[in-house]
Amino acid sequence: MNVIPTWEEIRRGDTTDIYFRRTMEVLRAAGKDRTRVVAEAIVKKFPGAYRYGILSGMDELLALLSGLPVEVDAMGEGTLFHVMEPVFTVEGPYGAFCELETAMLGVICQASGIAGQGAAGGQTLQDFILALRAQLAGVALAARFMGEEARSEE
């Protein structure tokens, strides 16, 4: 069992939240999945005493949307941003990117959060990597345990 999705699985929307799947089912049934929309990403509130964010992860977001019939307008990588300030907008048929929203926001939030921690003097990169390894190790151990349990029940 591989808990880390492939690039193809992410691009297909396999990793999306279930409500985006249901949204697409409703839109397709109503014939509205090609309706043009403008979606923007903002931050309503920063954690703790953070006064600004540092945009990171745009290269990955743009790669995720490449080849789709959408237009992206975004701040540059490394730009400081504030609460309620749009960091990027996506314009195009909603069905083209609906099931990618989870991945889009995930990559921006994760990368920008790491950049923000660095700016705030948070965890060192080594500490961050060790913590990430520990999180993945927990997932891997749980998955392995479930696999062994399943095998023992055969």
Side-chain angles (χ1 to χ4, degrees), residues 64-84:
L64 187 62
L65 297 174
S66 70
L68 299 179
V70 298
E71 298 170 27
V72 180
D73 183 30
M75 295 178 170
E77 187 85 7
T79 301
L80 300 183
F81 64 91
H82 298 90
V83 170
M84 301 305 289

Side-chain angles (χ1 to χ4, degrees), residues 4-16 21 24 28 58-70 72 94-104 107:
I4 300 174
T6 66
W7 183 247
E8 292 77 25
E9 289 170 327
I10 295 169
R11 289 268 319 214
R12 277 195 316 257
D14 294 354
T15 60
T16 197
R21 293 261 171 171
M24 283 306 300
R28 282 187 191 108
M58 281 308 304
D59 291 342
E60 291 80 6
L61 182 134
L62 293 173
L64 187 62
L65 297 174
S66 70
L68 299 179
V70 298
V72 180
Y94 189 54
F97 67 93
C98 172
E99 293 178 317
L100 296 176
E101 281 196 48
T102 302
M104 290 165 46
V107 71

Side-chain angles (χ1 to χ4, degrees), residues 72-135:
V72 180
D73 183 30
M75 295 178 170
E77 187 85 7
T79 301
L80 300 183
F81 64 91
H82 298 90
V83 170
M84 301 305 289
E85 186 175 17
V87 294
F88 70 86
T89 60
V90 180
E91 183 174 353
Y94 189 54
F97 67 93
C98 172
E99 293 178 317
L100 296 176
E101 281 196 48
T102 302
M104 290 165 46
L105 297 175
V107 71
I108 292 295
C109 290
Q110 184 69 31
S112 295
I114 294 167
Q117 278 190 344
Q123 291 178 306
T124 66
L125 184 57
Q126 183 178 6
D127 290 341
F128 179 79
I129 290 170
L130 290 173
L132 184 60
R133 281 186 181 165
Q135 290 170 7

